[in-house]
Each structure stands twice: as C-alpha cells, then as structure tokens.
C-alpha cells in the first residue's frame, strides 16, 4: 500500500513539477528503451579538432558502437538489464534506472577519419576527432589562348 501511495505521489509531483509541466507528459508512457537525449554530452571545438564527452554510466564498452560517416558522428549501443531490477517482494518504491538501446548523432565536419580515437572510463565515453589538416591549394590558373 505504501508503495502504491509513494508511486502516485511521485507521479503527480513529477507531472506538475518544473517550469513547463507538459514536458513531463511523455514520461508517463515511456518504455524501457534509453532515450538519446538522456545521454548528456559536451562537445568542445579547438583549432586541432573536436572533443566529445558523453555520460554513459553502467554501460559495457563492448556494447557501444561508434561510427563517423559524411561528417556525422554516430554513437549507438545498448545497456543490459540490471540484475537487481526485479522486485519479487514488492519492496521497490521507485525505479529510474533503465536499460535498452540508444543512438545519438552529432554533426562534426571535416574530421580526419584515420586518426579518430575513443576511450571509455568511469562512465564517460571520450571521442577525439582531429580536424583534417588544411592542404595547400593545388589550384593553378590557366590562361586561355
């Protein structure tokens, strides 16, 4: 009974909380799949390239796929179910952790595909995309006879 009351109270509080309570509406019908927007990202551009940091706690790096094509960095993968997520005794009051698939894309032009590096440490995926070096112009003006 306490769990049911807590869940109703949390649902109502979350629904009307915040500046724009309508933003909470879709969460009522959310499935267990991860939403790309929940993967918080920082992107820094320097003269030499881009640094992308994505918070991805509790992911196994073997389940993360990174691809760069046509100036688009795509990060996709899955997070497996949590072993302690099942509540056989009815003790669970609230559960916000999710499992499922995700995909996010970032437009990062002119990256040097051959030298992109990534690592995953302490729940943060870091991708470094060096920019292509500016090539000297091979343009040569030709006069018409």
């Amino acid at each position: 009974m306490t769990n049911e009351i807590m869940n109703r109270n949390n649902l109502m509080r979350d629904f009307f909380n915040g500046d724009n309570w309508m933003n909470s509406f879709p969460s009522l019908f959310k499935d267990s799949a991860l939403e790309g927007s929940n993967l918080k990202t920082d992107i820094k551009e320097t003269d030499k390239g881009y640094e992308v940091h994505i918070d991805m706690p509790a992911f196994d790096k073997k389940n993360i796929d990174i691809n760069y094509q046509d100036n688009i960095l795509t990060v996709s993968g899955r997070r497996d179910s949590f072993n302690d997520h099942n509540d056989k005794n009815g003790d669970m009051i609230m559960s916000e952790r999710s499992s499922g698939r995700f995909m996010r894309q970032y437009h990062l032009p002119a990256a040097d595909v051959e030298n992109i590096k990534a690592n995953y440490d302490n729940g943060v995926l870091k991708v470094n995309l060096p920019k292509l070096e500016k090539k000297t112009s091979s343009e040569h003006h030709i006069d018409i006879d």
Side-chain angles (χ1 to χ4, degrees):
M1 182 69 167
T2 303
N3 291 349
E4 185 178 330
I5 293 169
M6 287 290 294
N7 286 338
R8 280 191 220 157
N9 287 341
N10 288 337
L11 182 63
M12 294 306 287
R13 183 196 69 230
D14 291 343
F15 186 75
F16 292 103
N17 195 16
D19 295 332
N20 185 0
W21 59 271
M22 285 302 288
N23 287 338
S24 298
F25 189 74
S27 67
L28 292 172
F29 304 101
K30 182 169 64 171
D31 62 15
S32 63
L34 293 168
E35 297 178 20
S37 62
N38 288 338
L39 301 173
K40 304 302 181 201
T41 304
D42 294 332
I43 301 176
K44 179 181 178 182
E45 181 178 11
T46 66
D47 292 340
K48 297 189 182 267
Y50 304 98
E51 297 173 13
V52 180
H53 294 191
I54 306 170
D55 286 344
M56 300 175 61
F59 282 83
D60 187 332
K61 71 178 182 180
K62 71 180 182 184
N63 295 330
I64 300 171
D65 185 50
I66 305 167
N67 186 34
Y68 182 81
Q69 182 178 3
D70 298 328
N71 297 328
I72 303 291
L73 175 69
T74 303
V75 179
S76 61
R78 73 178 193 283
R79 182 164 68 190
D80 294 326
S81 298
F82 295 99
N83 293 335
D84 62 346
H85 200 78
N86 295 332
D87 184 28
K88 296 174 185 159
N89 300 327
D91 299 331
M92 183 79 68
I93 293 174
M94 181 172 75
S95 178
E96 294 181 337
R97 299 183 304 158
S98 59
S99 61
R101 299 191 174 279
F102 74 93
M103 182 182 77
R104 280 211 62 190
Q105 294 184 313
Y106 310 91
H107 182 258
L108 302 168
D112 182 358
V113 178
E114 301 297 322
N115 291 304
I116 296 174
K117 305 276 189 235
N119 78 352
Y120 179 71
D121 188 37
N122 291 326
V124 179
L125 176 67
K126 297 176 183 176
V127 184
N128 291 311
L129 301 97
K131 289 182 181 177
L132 288 170
E133 290 185 27
K134 293 182 180 179
K135 297 181 179 178
T136 57
S137 176
S138 59
E139 180 180 342
H140 176 72
H141 180 74
I142 302 171
D143 292 326
I144 300 174
D145 291 335

